[in-house]
Amino acid sequence: MSFVDDVVSVLPQPMREIAYRHHELIKFAIVGATTFIIDSGIFYGLKWTVLDTKPVTAKIISGVIAVIASYILNREWSFKNRGGRERHHEALLFFVVSGIGVVLAFVPLWVSSYVFDLRQPNVSFSVENIADFVSAFIIGNLLQMAFRFWSMRRWVFPDEMTQIVEEFEDLIGEERLGHT
């Protein structure tokens, strides 16, 4: 029994049914929380040291490292029962979708930093870091999370059985049209 199964088993029955129905989303969120910690730690480690004047560069580096961790965790856990693509094709799609997600995550930070100029000495250290956190980790991550979950299910880790059933139904429909 997995960690998620252990947690879900103690939920009240109505919530348990919802959790089972949305198990991929829950696992995706757990992977997201894990990579959020990776992303945040690396971002602030870089931003407060060697890249103190380049927050967008720090965010891109931390985002790329978090994406690599995300691929491994999502492939081997969140979406392990999906797929059907060759690994190199799947990995390429994952990194393209995640690259778009990284851009979605740093655009709000770029706007905060360079359009609104919420950087020192214009604002205090606290205001700068609160603005960076809200723009990069709240707004940016919400944008990328919604996009990535939809894209992962749609293109990267498609539900192979659903596609087979749809193709089969199309064939049956074509066969009926041919015999009527």
Side-chain angles (χ1 to χ4, degrees):
M1 197 176 224
S2 74
F3 168 74
V4 174
D5 291 333
D6 290 341
V7 171
V8 169
S9 68
V10 298
L11 294 173
Q13 184 60 32
M15 290 181 70
R16 191 176 319 145
E17 290 173 13
I18 292 170
Y20 282 131
R21 223 179 5 245
H22 301 288
H23 69 282
E24 286 178 339
L25 178 60
I26 293 168
K27 288 180 176 182
F28 184 80
I30 292 169
V31 168
T34 303
T35 57
F36 173 81
I37 292 167
I38 293 168
D39 192 3
S40 301
I42 293 170
F43 172 70
Y44 282 109
L46 292 172
K47 182 181 177 293
W48 289 342
T49 59
V50 296
L51 294 174
D52 61 331
T53 61
K54 299 181 181 213
V56 173
T57 303
K59 180 63 180 149
I60 291 169
I61 292 168
S62 68
V64 168
I65 293 169
V67 164
I68 293 168
S70 177
Y71 175 70
I72 294 166
L73 293 170
N74 277 306
R75 169 70 268 149
E76 300 302 324
W77 190 53
S78 302
F79 300 110
K80 77 177 187 178
N81 296 323
R82 288 176 162 261
R85 299 184 190 283
E86 294 179 25
R87 283 287 164 114
H88 67 279
H89 186 224
E90 177 185 272
L92 177 65
L93 284 170
F94 183 91
F95 288 110
V96 166
V97 164
S98 294
I100 295 168
V102 169
V103 170
L104 288 172
F106 81 70
V107 165
L109 176 63
W110 183 85
V111 169
S112 170
S113 297
Y114 302 113
V115 174
F116 296 134
D117 206 22
L118 296 175
R119 307 254 49 90
Q120 293 183 51
N122 302 327
V123 297
S124 70
F125 176 81
S126 298
V127 169
E128 176 184 316
N129 282 287
I130 290 168
D132 287 353
F133 182 80
V134 169
S135 61
F137 290 104
I138 305 296
I139 299 168
N141 278 345
L142 286 173
L143 285 171
Q144 85 163 317
M145 183 182 72
F147 171 76
R148 288 181 67 236
F149 183 71
W150 174 76
S151 298
M152 296 296 166
R153 287 179 52 103
R154 175 92 173 134
W155 292 305
V156 180
F157 306 114
D159 187 354
E160 197 173 58
M161 286 306 295
T162 300
Q163 288 177 338
I164 292 170
V165 168
E166 287 172 359
E167 289 174 13
F168 183 71
E169 288 171 350
D170 288 345
L171 285 172
I172 290 173
E174 289 173 13
E175 185 70 25
R176 287 184 184 149
L177 289 174
H179 286 104
T180 54

